[in-house]
Amino acid sequence: MTEAAIRRTPGTPCWVSLMVHGLAATEEFYRELFGWEFRPGPQQLGPYVRGMLDGRAIAGIGQLPPDRQLPIAWMTYLATDDADLTADTIRSCGGTVGVGPLDAAEAGRMAIAADPAGSVFGIWQAEAHIGTAVAGAHGTPVWNELITRETSAVGKFYEALFNYDVESVESTDFDFLTLRLEGRPVASLHGVGRALARDLGSHWMTYFEVDDTDAAARLVTELGGRVIKPPHEGTHGRLATVADPEGAVFSIVRSAGHRQLADL
């Protein structure tokens, strides 16, 4: 297990979080699936815990108020040096800001936004909390990908927001962009056209590394979740798409040592 890179270039995915109705049951699911332990985090928006491995933060899970019927989904946070300035840029580029910017105690400053296609994401200005602190182990985020109808317009939004270098796959039947910062791939955008799930809409997908994709997929169902796309071989490993008991969709992948999965 190794420390993740501490330098958070603006635009780098740096954290993932989930808001659910049953916090205790969700903790148990991810404890059994990924081996996470849990510690309290900032409570400004209600009960909130951080999933940990060996005392290092991996992801956050919060509890929704009983009367809030929001979609249950993992959310990707992108690093920023100035949450307020980035929020203004989101608005000027055609996105919306739904929460914040606001301080999360001493941890940092954050906002929750949506791009012009409706994909929800967070921005994170780190202070005491840098974000995900471990990479390369079972239960750690390994990649983030935007699943959307088409990448052209939304790609221009993210390029304007964080000055990514955008690498496109030239194909008449494959719509795929890789976002690069300082020469390295950090995220991808995948246009799936009419195959975009109506219940999910345009959304960010988090990939978590696992030791054994098939075993992890079986465990998901044993723990009350479901398998959406069964285990199969991808360019950089064996992967599956699954959902937890409250319906939050994510992918699991045995990446055979690859930290960047731009061709999943």
Side-chain angles (χ1 to χ4, degrees), residues 129-193:
H129 174 58
I130 63 168
T132 301
V134 181
H138 178 85
T140 60
V142 68
W143 190 249
N144 292 270
E145 181 174 87
L146 176 64
I147 312 295
T148 189
R149 187 171 296 278
E150 61 87 23
T151 65
S152 177
V154 76
K156 290 181 174 64
F157 168 83
Y158 287 101
E159 187 176 7
L161 187 59
F162 286 116
N163 198 32
Y164 294 108
D165 292 323
V166 178
E167 178 185 352
S168 63
V169 174
E170 299 295 335
S171 172
T172 58
D173 58 357
F174 194 59
D175 182 9
F176 193 91
L177 302 177
T178 300
L179 304 182
R180 293 178 177 270
L181 291 171
E182 301 176 332
R184 64 188 181 92
V186 296
S188 53
L189 278 59
H190 190 183
V192 298

Side-chain angles (χ1 to χ4, degrees), residues 202-216:
S202 184
H203 64 283
W204 279 93
M205 173 77 77
T206 299
Y207 290 78
F208 291 96
E209 183 157 346
V210 293
D211 294 332
D212 183 324
T213 304
D214 295 75

